[in-house]
Amino acid sequence: MKKIFAILTLMVILPIFSYADNAMVGKPAPSFKIKSGDNQELSFSDVSGKTVVLFYETKAAKEKNRKLKDELNKFYDSQPEAIKKNVVRLAVINCQGVIFSGAWESALKENSKKEGIIIYGDWTGDMARDYKVKAKDSNVIIIDKKGVIRYYYSGQIEDKDITAIKSLLNTLLF
């Protein structure tokens, strides 16, 4: 029965990988160090052993995948606490080259309250470089518990792919 479920799940999931950046998928996720508006640092080692759903965006692109974010928040909220503690929802904004960091830190804090999760800043641009994110776009990356990138896409996610992304998460969480 497990084998049939796995095969059916792959049949649903594989089409989304045709849109994903195959250069990153299947490779170990690069290390990172980012900082919130409250000066809380987060590094890759802090999230190791957990499934990571990462949105890396610029300020201008943060609404591009709003529907996906809302759907994934509902999906997350529907999970039991035992699952939730093994998932990291990570929002990162490219803050490289910011002149008035105090204003950006305040904006990160304010937007973190609105979104209900801590939004971190990539202040050096190292994460953008290492993850090969596309500038001025919404980048969606899913990393499994072993630290391997399982999904990577830059741009607007189509409605039909949201179900496939949730199916992928189901296979990674259970």
Side-chain angles (χ1 to χ4, degrees), residues 36-98:
S36 73
D38 291 339
N39 287 318
Q40 295 178 46
E41 285 193 356
L42 182 77
S43 66
F44 186 71
S45 63
D46 295 327
V47 300
S48 73
K50 298 182 181 200
T51 299
V52 178
V53 180
L54 166 64
F55 282 84
Y56 189 107
E57 301 167 313
T58 59
K59 187 177 175 183
K62 69 180 183 157
E63 293 302 318
K64 191 175 235 178
N65 281 312
R66 172 55 56 196
K67 184 170 184 177
L68 174 63
K69 291 175 185 178
D70 292 344
E71 288 292 322
L72 290 180
N73 282 337
K74 286 185 222 172
F75 176 79
Y76 175 81
D77 291 341
S78 72
Q79 301 302 314
E81 288 303 315
I83 298 293
K84 286 181 182 178
K85 70 180 183 179
N86 290 310
V87 176
V88 175
R89 299 177 299 156
L90 187 55
V92 181
I93 298 289
N94 188 337
C95 298
Q96 182 182 13
V98 167

Side-chain angles (χ1 to χ4, degrees), residues 8 20-21 29 33 42 62 64 77 82 105 120 128 157 159 174:
L8 290 173
D21 180 345
K33 187 179 272 186
L42 182 77
K62 69 180 183 157
K64 191 175 235 178
D77 291 341
E105 289 168 346
Y120 292 88
I157 306 286
D159 290 352
F174 296 103

